[in-house]
Amino acid sequence: MATICSKSNLDSIILIFVCMFAGVCAQRVKAFPPNAYVALNQFVIHISLPGLALYYIPKIEASIKLLYPLGVAWLGFLIAFIFFVTLGNYFGWSRKLTGCLILTGGLGNTSFVGFPVIEALYGQQGLETAIIVDQPGTFVVMATLGIIVAAAYSKGKSGVGEMTKKILFFPPFVAFFIGVGMNVLDYDFTSDIQSIFQRLGSTVTPVALVAVGMQLKIDFKSKHWNFLALGLFFKLFIMPAFFFILYKILLKGEGIETEVAIMEAAMAPMITASILASSHGLKPRLSGMMIGVGIPLSFLTLAFWYWLLHIY
């Protein structure tokens, strides 16, 4: 991974750790109330994510090249759902635990960590494929299936009507459908409005990571460690192994699109997935640990998958 450090994208990676560390430090600052992260989570959900959707979704272009990168997000989430629901039913896990692991294990950090890493390793061409994985892939899955899972597994047994209301009025979901409508009509905002949405969307990384850091408490006696290990093993090893076997061995995929798709499958859990789980009461402590431990650990596992792709 030395190549990554030689690129200007290093600042994006440094930002991840600085913001997370700032959040951890904020836990010890009396000016911040203990539940300050709740307000930050709501900022991300109601302002940052809708801005991101309204900036990117109208610009997505349909193409056959979307298939492999799209499979990473949609197939990956389906596999996570089957995997964790099966284990949850077998071992009698709570719905909140199962929902947390589905979201954080099924959605990858394909942009905030993925973009700088992929651009450093594969250049601009690799970044173009990474954007396909993230925008019509991971982001759309989060805004649709992710919201459905969060609403279905959140505390209390919501009826179909109440759950549907939660989904339909969830701000990123509303913004997503507005963006889809604009895309179909081949319409986009003026450059000034686009710039506003882009700036709002860019707040996702710092605000979300500070919120994650404020919730991150490393308790070595915590009952979450076994579930953390299982969730990260699934996300960092089982998920990329599935796509490596499917794309490289079974489908004989070649080229940069295939490699970038597999590397994106190996990314750490999605920051927004942690925020989504936390805001719905799905094991906030565990969802924060999935990010806080998963991101640093992923740099080691990404090196392994990059090496494997280049010797195969």
Side-chain angles (χ1 to χ4, degrees):
M1 302 293 283
T3 312
I4 296 175
C5 299
S6 66
K7 301 287 184 176
S8 61
N9 289 294
L10 182 63
D11 59 351
S12 298
I13 296 171
I14 292 175
L15 177 67
I16 291 170
F17 292 100
V18 168
C19 290
M20 198 178 301
F21 180 70
V24 171
C25 292
Q27 295 180 26
R28 294 164 176 77
V29 178
K30 292 183 179 179
F32 290 96
N35 63 343
Y37 66 87
V38 175
L40 297 182
N41 288 349
Q42 295 306 313
F43 179 89
V44 170
I45 288 171
H46 288 82
I47 297 175
S48 305
L49 289 178
L52 203 64
L54 291 172
Y55 178 75
Y56 281 107
I57 299 298
K59 298 174 176 60
I60 294 172
E61 296 181 10
S63 166
I64 193 68
K65 290 183 178 180
L66 292 174
L67 294 180
Y68 271 27
L70 280 177
V72 168
W74 292 90
L75 274 178
F77 192 81
L78 177 62
I79 294 164
F81 182 85
I82 294 171
F83 183 82
F84 290 115
V85 167
T86 301
L87 288 181
N89 290 338
Y90 182 79
F91 290 107
W93 295 347
S94 69
R95 291 180 60 80
K96 290 191 288 186
L97 174 59
T98 302
C100 173
L101 290 173
I102 291 170
L103 289 172
T104 55
L107 293 166
N109 203 324
T110 52
S111 57
F112 309 126
V113 175
F115 287 175
V117 169
I118 294 301
E119 187 173 13
L121 294 176
Y122 296 97
Q124 185 63 33
Q125 186 181 358
L127 183 59
E128 291 172 3
T129 301
I131 290 172
I132 294 172
V133 175
D134 183 70
Q135 291 304 313
T138 305
F139 184 83
V140 175
V141 173
M142 183 280 299
T144 53
L145 301 182
I147 294 170
I148 292 171
V149 167
Y153 283 83
S154 60
K155 44 190 172 179
K157 293 189 176 180
S158 302
V160 174
E162 185 180 346
M163 190 176 76
T164 302
K165 184 179 177 181
K166 281 184 181 180
I167 295 166
L168 292 179
F169 289 95
F170 193 67
F173 193 72
V174 174
F176 162 70
F177 270 103
I178 292 173
V180 168
M182 293 172 62
N183 190 299
V184 171
L185 296 173
D186 195 24
Y187 173 80
D188 204 347
F189 296 104
T190 63
S191 57
D192 290 339
I193 301 299
Q194 288 184 48
S195 178
I196 291 172
F197 286 133
Q198 184 180 28
R199 288 170 182 265
L200 289 174
S202 68
T203 62
V204 169
T205 302
V207 176
L209 282 169
V210 169
V212 167
M214 294 180 77
Q215 298 172 79
L216 185 61
K217 291 179 170 55
I218 305 299
D219 179 4
F220 292 99
K221 296 181 180 180
S222 172
K223 62 182 180 180
H224 292 314
W225 281 101
N226 289 338
F227 299 116
L228 175 70
L230 176 64
L232 290 180
F233 181 72
F234 175 85
K235 185 68 196 72
L236 302 179
F237 287 101
I238 295 179
M239 179 88 79
F242 172 84
F243 286 104
F244 182 87
I245 293 169
L246 178 63
Y247 287 175
K248 291 290 286 185
I249 298 177
L250 298 180
L251 298 179
K252 307 295 183 184
E254 298 291 342
I256 195 170
E257 288 84 8
T258 300
E259 290 196 16
V260 169
I262 294 170
M263 288 294 290
E264 285 281 45
M267 293 295 164
M270 186 185 195
I271 297 167
T272 311
S274 173
I275 296 295
L276 187 61
S278 178
S279 65
H280 283 77
L282 304 179
K283 300 293 181 183
R285 186 74 58 82
L286 175 59
S287 66
M289 290 172 69
M290 285 286 287
I291 300 299
V293 177
I295 288 177
L297 183 61
S298 71
F299 286 96
L300 299 176
T301 56
L302 283 168
F304 165 76
W305 289 108
Y306 184 67
W307 168 78
L308 185 63
L309 284 167
H310 282 76
I311 66 166
Y312 181 78

